[in-house]
Amino acid sequence: MRVKPGRSFLSRWLAPMLVVALAAGTSGASCGDDERPTTPARVERPPPTLRLVVLTDIKGYLEPCGCTSRPLGGIDRTAAKVKALRDEGRPMLVVVAGDLFFDGVDHGVAGAETQDLWKAETLVDVLGRVGVDAATPGSLDFSHGVPTFRALAGRAEFPLLAAGLDLAAPEGAEPTEPALGSGVVREVGGVKVGIFGVSEVEGPDGSLPEGVTRTQAVREAAQSAASELRAQGAEVVVGLVRGTRRTARQVAGAAEGVDFVVQAGLDLAEAVPPFEAGGAWILHAGRQGQGLVVVDVFRRGDGDFSDFGDWTRAEQRAHVEERIGDLRARIAEWEEDDSVAEADVERQKRRLAEMERELTELATPRTVEGNAFAAEYVELSPQAPQAPEVTQVMERHFRRVNEHNREVFASLAPPPLPEDQAGFTGSDACRSCHEEEHTWWTGTKHGQAYPTLEERHKQFNLSCVGCHVTGYMDPGGSTVTHLGEGGVLRNVGCESCHGPGSLHVRDPEVDVLLNPPAGVCIECHNPEHSDTFNYTAYRAMMLAPGHGMPSPEEREQR
């Protein structure tokens, strides 16, 4: 479980939940007592009535970028985890909300839509194999047009829900089944569960995508859909919401009878512990399939649900412990300050004791009473099992894309090089004067960047190639398939950092960029692909004798 404790998180999400009832007879530890319990003991729980598995904002990701420090997620790991959960024999539903099929990246070349569409189709098929029960789309799912969305919806083995959105049929087309529903009822574990979806879909300019009509405001659509599900006998209602935090809270409070709201559209890497709003509990599972939220639901009849899970309590404990530490430090300062009244210090000590009683309460085991649930975030780490059959589907997809792009972009040339402008020559042209630096470079990850793609059949993949070659789509540089004469622009070469070097090769008096600024690096070393990037630290790693660092001979001369 990845949890990001601290005031910054809790002040945004959990402030309404931090008032914990204190037992009247509970005694607290003294200010200096460190022997207090801080972790609640686990108690035996009855089997849940049903289990809800939540994914949010997949954004078309089949697998994570392998350049990150800990590549998280992957649809094959998701499939393996969902299967493992099913094998436990609990009645289970799988729901997805947010941008599903596309990531919104502009590859900058005509013809890129085929790769994106094939990836979306692969994802749709795998989600069907996983056994998704319902999903709600986001704006990016319409980025390739309504006809493409309709085709993907028709391919899906699960319903796509967005109450209040109508997709305009093409002019003159035969009437078809609607691509978007408002809600469905599933019976699981002997309980009828209603699932509805609402989405704040909009185009890049803030308007609705062409071919999409909003017939109801999101809040009104949620109210109507939830009421309809209750009328159909739903005993538990789950809302899938793609929108802002405010929208999710409005749906939770305005749609009577909603028990859980799955919030998507936040673009947060970390999952969010459940929090209550308007009588419903809001859930978020992060983005890009890096993990999923598993919610064990214990239903005992009508009424609201309470959260007795360890995840939320861990966040609460972290916050209370931080407050205790801060207050202890201040009390110590006040005790040394003669200007602070003793009565004020004693009042703060009593406040500290209350906080410590609160911490003890949070460490007390909780049992299931009435309607309750316990949520857990499951991170899909690089060590997480993969579903072999899904991994094979992904490998076939990447090979197919690679061969397609090799042919389609075979004639794609870089922009022409303006007259008198420096062009790319390749790192071997630097070798005659910079032998030591060149030898060092060949052993770096930059010097071996292209083979890492070839090993994975991704050297022509538009999502990868640009950061593994030199001068990608720059004047006189490389393209998807063209790597300069003789392949001299393979790998991340000298000119990736120091700029095109043809003029310097002809005349060494012509300067190149000796100290590349951070802006050069972050074109590829961005959070998506290089999560640990720090310019100062990474620059230090690139220093070597002759390459920003004096050689032994130069040091002796000094």
Side-chain angles (χ1 to χ4, degrees):
M1 179 196 309
R2 279 196 308 164
V3 174
K4 199 171 183 180
R7 181 172 299 164
S8 59
F9 171 85
L10 286 149
S11 61
R12 297 195 306 269
W13 291 100
L14 295 177
M17 301 173 61
L18 288 174
V19 180
V20 180
L22 302 177
T26 303
S27 61
S30 65
C31 295
D33 184 6
D34 291 323
E35 298 299 323
R36 63 189 187 282
T38 58
T39 304
R42 285 194 171 272
V43 296
E44 285 297 322
R45 296 171 181 167
T49 310
L50 61 95
R51 176 172 281 166
L52 188 65
V53 177
V54 175
L55 288 161
T56 50
D57 296 320
I58 297 176
K59 293 181 178 289
Y61 275 72
L62 296 180
E63 65 175 9
C65 176
C67 299
T68 55
S69 59
R70 291 183 68 240
L72 301 176
I75 198 65
D76 51 352
R77 291 190 172 92
T78 300
K81 184 59 184 179
V82 172
K83 181 181 183 303
L85 291 169
R86 289 192 192 281
D87 289 346
E88 292 179 12
R90 310 298 188 208
M92 198 167 88
L93 289 170
V94 181
V95 295
V96 187
D99 298 307
L100 303 171
F101 309 132
F102 303 111
D103 57 15
V105 173
D106 182 3
H107 297 297
V109 295
E113 61 275 3
T114 297
Q115 174 176 319
D116 289 341
L117 179 59
W118 286 355
K119 184 171 68 170
E121 291 174 345
T122 300
L123 182 59
V124 168
D125 293 347
V126 173
L127 291 177
R129 185 193 294 258
V130 165
V132 169
D133 290 278
T136 290
S139 298
L140 293 180
D141 295 313
F142 296 90
S143 58
H144 287 263
V146 170
T148 295
F149 177 84
R150 282 184 174 276
L152 291 170
R155 187 184 184 105
E157 297 179 11
F158 48 89
L160 289 160
L161 308 176
L165 282 182
D166 285 342
L167 301 186
E171 188 174 349
E174 292 291 329
T176 59
E177 288 292 320
L180 290 169
S182 60
V184 294
V185 175
R186 298 278 189 257
E187 184 164 342
V188 55
V191 176
K192 287 187 176 181
V193 179
I195 309 169
F196 72 87
V198 289
S199 183
E200 289 184 318
V201 169
E202 60 183 27
D205 61 353
S207 64
L208 291 174
E210 185 176 354
V212 177
T213 304
R214 179 168 286 133
T215 57
Q216 288 179 287
V218 169
R219 178 174 172 175
E220 294 175 355
Q223 286 178 317
S224 176
S227 297
E228 177 62 26
L229 292 173
R230 287 291 184 183
Q232 295 177 34
E235 300 162 275
V236 175
V237 174
V238 179
L240 309 181
V241 178
R242 192 279 182 187
T244 64
R245 296 184 181 98
R246 181 182 179 188
T247 299
R249 289 177 180 273
Q250 286 180 336
V251 169
E256 186 177 353
V258 177
D259 298 298
F260 299 97
V261 169
V262 175
Q263 160 87 82
L266 298 180
D267 201 31
L268 295 176
E270 285 90 3
V272 174
F275 67 97
E276 191 267 344
W281 290 90
I282 298 182
L283 311 166
H284 176 72
R287 68 184 179 199
Q288 299 168 351
Q290 295 182 11
L292 44 83
V293 169
V294 180
V295 185
D296 282 343
V297 178
F298 302 81
R299 187 175 184 276
R300 302 291 184 265
D302 295 334
D304 294 337
F305 283 84
S306 63
D307 178 4
F308 73 101
D310 295 333
W311 184 12
T312 306
R313 287 162 70 81
E315 287 284 348
Q316 292 174 326
R317 290 196 309 275
H319 180 62
V320 174
E321 286 174 341
E322 181 184 18
R323 291 167 57 205
I324 287 174
D326 289 344
L327 185 54
R328 278 182 175 171
R330 284 182 291 179
I331 288 174
E333 293 175 2
W334 292 331
E335 287 180 325
E336 298 296 324
D337 188 346
D338 293 338
S339 67
V340 179
E342 185 176 344
D344 291 338
V345 175
E346 290 302 317
R347 184 165 56 253
Q348 294 302 321
K349 287 183 177 180
R350 289 194 296 272
R351 180 170 165 240
L352 178 61
E354 290 178 0
M355 290 183 188
E356 290 175 327
R357 284 196 294 271
E358 183 177 349
L359 193 63
T360 300
E361 175 72 13
L362 288 170
T364 302
R366 300 183 66 182
T367 57
V368 180
E369 296 179 359
N371 288 341
F373 74 95
E376 176 187 10
Y377 178 63
V378 180
E379 180 187 76
L380 296 175
S381 72
Q383 293 74 41
Q386 298 162 283
E389 67 280 7
V390 176
T391 302
Q392 291 172 8
V393 168
M394 293 164 57
E395 289 176 351
R396 288 196 296 270
H397 162 76
F398 290 125
R399 287 176 182 266
R400 180 190 186 197
V401 166
N402 218 41
E403 292 307 310
H404 171 269
N405 289 356
R406 184 206 299 267
E407 296 177 7
V408 169
F409 299 115
S411 59
L412 180 64
L417 183 68
E419 189 176 351
D420 298 328
Q421 180 174 313
F424 293 93
T425 62
S427 296
D428 282 350
C430 310
R431 186 173 186 174
S432 59
C433 295
H434 303 280
E435 176 73 29
E436 187 176 29
E437 295 96 314
H438 186 277
T439 300
W440 163 80
W441 167 77
T442 59
T444 67
K445 290 184 178 180
H446 281 168
Q448 298 298 319
Y450 200 73
T452 63
L453 296 185
E454 293 176 307
E455 294 166 1
R456 295 168 172 81
H457 308 287
K458 292 183 179 179
Q459 68 269 36
F460 307 118
N461 192 300
L462 298 173
S463 298
C464 307
V465 62
C467 286
H468 289 250
V469 296
T470 300
Y472 184 70
M473 297 306 294
D474 288 333
S478 60
T479 70
V480 182
T481 55
H482 286 241
L483 301 178
E485 187 174 350
V488 295
L489 300 183
R490 287 167 52 98
N491 303 311
V492 181
C494 306
E495 294 163 298
S496 295
C497 301
H498 300 291
S502 61
L503 299 182
H504 178 74
V505 169
R506 286 204 302 264
D507 180 4
E509 295 297 319
V510 177
D511 290 335
V512 294
L513 186 62
L514 291 179
N515 292 296
V520 172
C521 309
I522 61 177
E523 291 184 13
C524 288
H525 288 282
N526 52 50
E528 192 68 56
H529 305 295
S530 186
D531 56 321
T532 62
F533 178 72
N534 175 281
Y535 174 71
T536 302
Y538 271 50
R539 186 182 183 281
M541 293 166 55
M542 301 304 294
L543 299 179
H547 192 256
M549 181 185 295
S551 66
E553 295 78 12
E554 290 172 327
R555 285 198 294 270
E556 287 181 5
Q557 292 174 2
R558 292 182 182 179

